[in-house]
């Protein structure tokens, strides 16, 4: 059995029911909108985010879920889908999970409007049901994701990212959404409990580990999910590179910064940067940090009694850093 299927096992019923509720939450009176949302729904990914919502909800409440849990999972998926549609416009990307992106098929103007529609659907789903605590969690996540993207753009221009700034960027850009999933799961069944904050932190730690793993793929020898060296070509400062830059001699540092700034499209130079980072311990350092985040996340689960849901969350934490793409 695939790891993702194994993780999903204790919440298989909830995930099936969620699929139906989620499709309903996307419906509209406009035929074009329905055609596009149908296209999006049928090309979904692994659905890790709703899985986090249900697993956390069931772990903290001894196997209970409520309508709020389903709404929380739908809201997070609506908002996440909206951000993906907008990201493809911003990045001028024509593919998403191996299929044509919305902007590739229907052009940018429609893609932006679809993203706005999904965002408003998510917000209204919470407002119409008075889930204001859930709405606050997701609204903070959207704000942080936007700030993280802009902070990364600002820093990429100067290449002056410290390790602390890097953590702040990935916390906002990636970890904040997984943190929102986990706190939503807890808040949907145990509002105002200490679980809401501890599960937010749990999700944040997993998100940090997840992003560092993504950064490591850039240094892989095989094409896993994205081509090797793509972060360097896009002048994205990732942890292996930041570490090596901070350790390098003045001469090497100058060469590295010049290479990333001015020769990032030169395939030979990009290979040299990758080799330099590997030889100077950049990957080992990043792996150590990633495992530290993983360990801290697993430690937070120890406060809960053993259950299938807890086992699945543990498996999820391991999967995040063992995945091959």
């Amino acid at each position: 059995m695939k790891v993702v299927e194994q993780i999903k096992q204790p919440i298989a019923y909830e995930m099936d029911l969620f699929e139906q509720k989620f499709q309903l939450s996307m419906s509209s009176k406009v035929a074009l909108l329905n055609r596009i949302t149908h296209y999006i729904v049928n090309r979904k990914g692994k659905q890790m985010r709703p899985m986090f919502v249900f697993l956390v909800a069931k772990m903290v409440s001894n196997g209970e879920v409520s309508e709020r849990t389903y709404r929380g999972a739908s809201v997070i998926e609506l908002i996440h889908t909206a951000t993906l549609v907008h990201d493809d416009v911003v990045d001028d990307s024509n593919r998403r999970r191996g299929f044509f992106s919305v902007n590739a098929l229907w052009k940018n103007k429609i893609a932006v409007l679809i993203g706005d529609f999904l965002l408003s659907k998510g917000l209204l789903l919470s407002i119409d049901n008075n889930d204001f605590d859930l709405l606050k969690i997701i609204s903070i996540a959207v704000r942080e994701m936007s700030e993280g993207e802009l902070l990364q753009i600002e820093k990429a221009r100067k290449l002056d990212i410290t390790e602390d700034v890097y953590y702040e960027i990935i916390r906002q850009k990636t970890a904040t959404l997984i943190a929102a999933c986990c706190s939503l799961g807890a808040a949907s069944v145990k509002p105002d409990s200490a679980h809401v904050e501890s599960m937010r932190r749990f999700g944040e730690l997993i998100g940090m580990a997840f992003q560092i793993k993504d950064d490591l793929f850039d240094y892989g020898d095989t094409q896993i999910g994205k081509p090797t060296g793509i972060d360097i070509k896009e002048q994205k400062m990732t942890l292996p590179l930041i570490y090596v830059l901070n350790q390098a001699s003045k001469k090497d540092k100058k060469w590295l910064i010049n290479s990333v700034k001015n020769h990032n499209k030169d395939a030979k130079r990009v290979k040299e940067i990758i080799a330099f980072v590997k030889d100077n311990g950049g990957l080992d350092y990043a792996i150590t940090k990633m495992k530290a985040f993983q360990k801290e996340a697993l430690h937070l689960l120890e406060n809960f009694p053993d259950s299938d849901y807890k086992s699945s969350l543990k498996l999820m934490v391991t999967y995040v850093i063992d995945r091959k793409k």
Side-chain angles (χ1 to χ4, degrees), residues 7-109:
I7 293 167
K8 204 187 272 191
Q9 241 182 342
I11 50 163
Y13 171 77
E14 285 81 7
M15 287 300 289
D16 286 344
L17 190 52
F18 162 73
E19 291 273 331
Q20 298 163 33
K21 288 176 183 281
F22 181 58
Q23 291 196 23
L24 279 174
S25 70
M26 273 186 158
S27 63
S28 152
K29 293 191 180 88
V30 180
L32 175 62
L33 254 173
N34 286 334
R35 197 157 72 243
I36 298 171
T37 54
H38 180 74
Y39 177 81
I40 293 169
V41 168
N42 286 334
R43 280 148 195 83
K44 61 184 181 297
K46 296 186 189 80
Q47 292 193 297
M48 292 301 220
R49 286 155 194 87
M51 282 160 65
F52 272 122
V53 175
F54 289 114
L55 285 170
V56 167
K58 295 193 92 170
M59 180 183 72
V60 304
S61 67
N62 299 322
E64 298 296 316
V65 292
S66 66
E67 276 304 312
R68 266 165 59 87
T69 315
Y70 286 100
R71 289 197 296 269
S74 290
V75 167
I76 209 94
E77 201 66 348
L78 282 163
I79 304 272
H80 174 59
T81 308
T83 61
L84 293 185
V85 173
H86 282 164
D87 278 354
D88 287 339
V89 174
V90 170
D91 298 338
D92 204 14
S93 173
N94 292 324
R95 311 288 285 186
R96 167 69 63 183
R97 297 186 185 119
F99 297 96
F100 284 114
S101 57
V102 173
N103 51 302
L105 292 172
W106 287 280
K107 302 291 178 262
N108 283 351
K109 183 176 180 179

Side-chain angles (χ1 to χ4, degrees), residues 151-211:
L151 179 60
Q152 185 172 49
I153 291 166
E154 178 194 321
K155 293 296 179 182
R157 288 177 179 156
K158 297 179 188 167
L159 299 188
D160 64 344
I161 295 187
T162 62
E163 200 171 315
D164 285 345
V165 170
Y166 165 81
Y167 290 135
E168 185 57 16
I169 289 171
I170 68 167
R171 185 191 68 74
Q172 290 186 313
K173 261 189 68 180
T174 305
T176 194
L177 193 65
I178 300 174
C181 296
C182 296
S183 56
L184 270 177
S188 72
V189 286
K190 296 272 185 185
D192 305 319
S193 70
H195 298 322
V196 178
E197 173 53 28
S198 76
M199 287 296 96
R200 184 204 65 77
R201 178 66 181 150
F202 168 75
E204 188 173 270
L205 290 162
I206 294 177
M208 303 287 275
F210 180 91
Q211 187 55 55

Side-chain angles (χ1 to χ4, degrees), residues 55-319:
L55 285 170
V56 167
K58 295 193 92 170
M59 180 183 72
V60 304
S61 67
N62 299 322
E64 298 296 316
V65 292
S66 66
E67 276 304 312
R68 266 165 59 87
T69 315
Y70 286 100
R71 289 197 296 269
S74 290
V75 167
I76 209 94
E77 201 66 348
L78 282 163
I79 304 272
H80 174 59
T81 308
T83 61
L84 293 185
V85 173
H86 282 164
D87 278 354
D88 287 339
V89 174
V90 170
D91 298 338
D92 204 14
S93 173
N94 292 324
R95 311 288 285 186
R96 167 69 63 183
R97 297 186 185 119
F99 297 96
F100 284 114
S101 57
V102 173
N103 51 302
L105 292 172
W106 287 280
K107 302 291 178 262
N108 283 351
K109 183 176 180 179
I110 287 176
V112 169
L113 292 169
I114 290 289
D116 292 347
F117 169 78
L118 295 172
L119 195 63
S120 65
K121 273 279 188 183
L123 301 177
L124 283 168
L125 185 60
S126 294
I127 291 166
D128 291 345
N129 292 283
N130 293 327
D131 296 331
F132 296 113
D133 56 336
L134 306 187
L135 183 59
K136 185 176 181 181
I137 291 169
I138 195 66
S139 299
I140 289 169
V142 173
R143 181 196 71 199
E144 297 231 305
M145 284 156 68
S146 311
E147 284 180 355
E149 286 285 355
L150 288 163
L151 179 60
Q152 185 172 49
I153 291 166
E154 178 194 321
K155 293 296 179 182
R157 288 177 179 156
K158 297 179 188 167
L159 299 188
D160 64 344
I161 295 187
T162 62
E163 200 171 315
D164 285 345
V165 170
Y166 165 81
Y167 290 135
E168 185 57 16
I169 289 171
I170 68 167
R171 185 191 68 74
Q172 290 186 313
K173 261 189 68 180
T174 305
T176 194
L177 193 65
I178 300 174
C181 296
C182 296
S183 56
L184 270 177
S188 72
V189 286
K190 296 272 185 185
D192 305 319
S193 70
H195 298 322
V196 178
E197 173 53 28
S198 76
M199 287 296 96
R200 184 204 65 77
R201 178 66 181 150
F202 168 75
E204 188 173 270
L205 290 162
I206 294 177
M208 303 287 275
F210 180 91
Q211 187 55 55
I212 295 172
K213 178 70 174 183
D214 241 27
D215 293 350
L216 287 164
F217 283 143
D218 208 44
Y219 294 87
D221 298 313
T222 51
Q223 290 200 357
I224 320 170
K226 58 181 182 177
T228 302
I230 202 164
D231 286 337
I232 295 165
K233 287 169 192 154
E234 291 176 0
Q235 294 191 4
K236 279 185 186 163
M237 297 292 283
T238 59
L239 188 56
L241 184 57
I242 291 165
Y243 172 76
V244 167
L245 262 175
N246 290 337
Q247 304 300 312
S249 66
K250 217 172 182 179
K251 184 181 158 208
D252 286 340
K253 192 171 185 173
K254 195 176 173 185
W255 173 81
L256 267 174
I257 289 174
N258 179 39
S259 300
V260 175
K261 257 192 174 168
N262 305 314
H263 304 280
N264 54 31
K265 302 288 187 282
D266 176 344
K268 183 174 173 284
R269 185 70 79 96
V270 169
K271 272 188 174 172
E272 286 171 5
I273 298 168
I274 288 171
F276 187 88
V277 170
K278 282 181 175 176
D279 295 344
N280 287 275
L283 301 196
D284 294 337
Y285 181 78
I287 288 166
T288 303
K289 287 291 179 185
M290 176 179 73
K291 287 187 172 170
F293 284 123
Q294 180 202 29
K295 190 179 173 187
E296 201 181 330
L298 286 169
H299 182 67
L300 283 172
L301 291 180
E302 293 314 311
N303 300 322
F304 296 92
D306 288 342
S307 66
D308 289 346
Y309 320 113
K310 179 177 166 179
S311 299
S312 275
L313 283 168
K314 279 184 169 179
L315 198 55
M316 188 90 99
V317 176
T318 308
Y319 170 73

